[in-house]
Amino acid sequence: MELSLAHPAIKAFMCGSLSGTCSTLLFQPLDLVKTRLQTLQSGMRPGSDRVGMVTVLLSVVRTEKLPGLWKGVSPSFVRTIPGVGIYFSTYYSLKQHFFQDRSPGALGAVLLGGGARTVAGVFMLPVTVIKTRFECGRYSYSSVVGALRSVCQTEGTAALFSGLTATLLRDVPFSGIYVMFYSQTKASLPKEISASPSAPLANFSCGILAGVLASLVTQPADMVKTHVQVNPQMKTVEAIRYIYMENGLQGYFRGAVPRALRRTMMAAMAWTVYEQMMAHIGLKS
């Protein structure tokens, strides 16, 4: 089937890409702080996530200046612009195919969100690996293309797919849980709010609630994913054991505060912008 720029799935891709660009640029510093917190050595263990977050933030600004907070934004853009576009276009296509004009229930929303994230996550995993390495501060890559070339030459192509299991265990449940809570809370809003000029703000609030819940549930998988991608010789099971031996159960929630802030705000903004843009071009999201 021939696709054109007028095809609804292409429009959904473009709306998703633009929404992802805005949210990535705004919240990249939180992602960098989260990655630095998760890759701290045992002897540098912060007393709490809040203290650790502030300490890492000030340390980055002091040693790498203010622009250092946006380190890794290039691979973030390379990942997010097509990645969020793929996610939303897949979500839109699946929804139109299986649900057409009716709204999905709670289980349907979980399957839609999880299915769309699986496709986008697998496709964009190599860039996700590079992004994590940029942010952790242990690698001296000069560009995304150079980093991809370096990994392929020194570690093999398989290293670009390190952390696949942990990534899917993190992203698929997050997206499924997020879409479920988001769609259900939005559907429970009074009709006068949904049809009013304040609808985007109400939708954004629903997105924040959904994002907080989904972030907390999937935080341990994010911690494991970061360790595997920064240390490609480490298997998922080894990372799980290492984190527990080093920090106990609380170790799986290191970096939870900046991650929850970033993922929640990014998801809420991306969905709000996506839905407003889809409505503007006359498509039902």
Side-chain angles (χ1 to χ4, degrees), residues 103-116:
S103 298
L107 179 59
V110 170
L111 295 177
L112 279 176

Side-chain angles (χ1 to χ4, degrees), residues 31-162:
D31 202 28
L32 180 134
V33 171
K34 181 269 297 184
T35 302
R36 295 287 177 94
L37 272 173
Q38 291 183 338
T39 54
L40 283 173
Q41 301 300 316
S42 301
M44 301 169 62
R45 196 174 303 164
S48 68
D49 253 353
R50 184 177 179 183
V51 174
M53 185 171 68
V54 174
T55 302
V56 171
L57 183 67
L58 294 176
S59 175
V60 172
V61 173
R62 186 167 52 250
T63 60
E64 304 174 44
K65 309 302 180 185
L66 193 61
L69 291 173
W70 275 267
K71 189 172 185 178
V73 74
S74 296
S76 288
F77 276 142
V78 173
R79 182 190 70 158
T80 301
I81 293 175
V84 177
I86 292 170
Y87 172 81
F88 278 118
S89 61
T90 303
Y91 173 86
Y92 178 84
S93 299
L94 290 174
K95 186 178 180 182
Q96 292 301 306
H97 181 76
F98 291 106
F99 297 95
Q100 298 178 352
D101 294 329
R102 58 191 177 90
S103 298
L107 179 59
V110 170
L111 295 177
L112 279 176
R117 180 54 61 194
T118 298
V119 173
V122 172
F123 192 83
M124 300 307 300
L125 186 63
V127 184
T128 302
V129 172
I130 298 303
K131 168 186 166 294
T132 302
R133 293 191 179 192
F134 260 91
E135 293 171 349
C136 76
R138 297 185 188 177
Y139 296 84
S140 55
Y141 300 133
S142 58
S143 67
V144 176
V145 174
L148 289 169
R149 186 184 301 115
S150 175
V151 172
C152 289
Q153 291 176 348
T154 60
E155 304 171 41
T157 307
L160 292 174
F161 290 88
S162 60

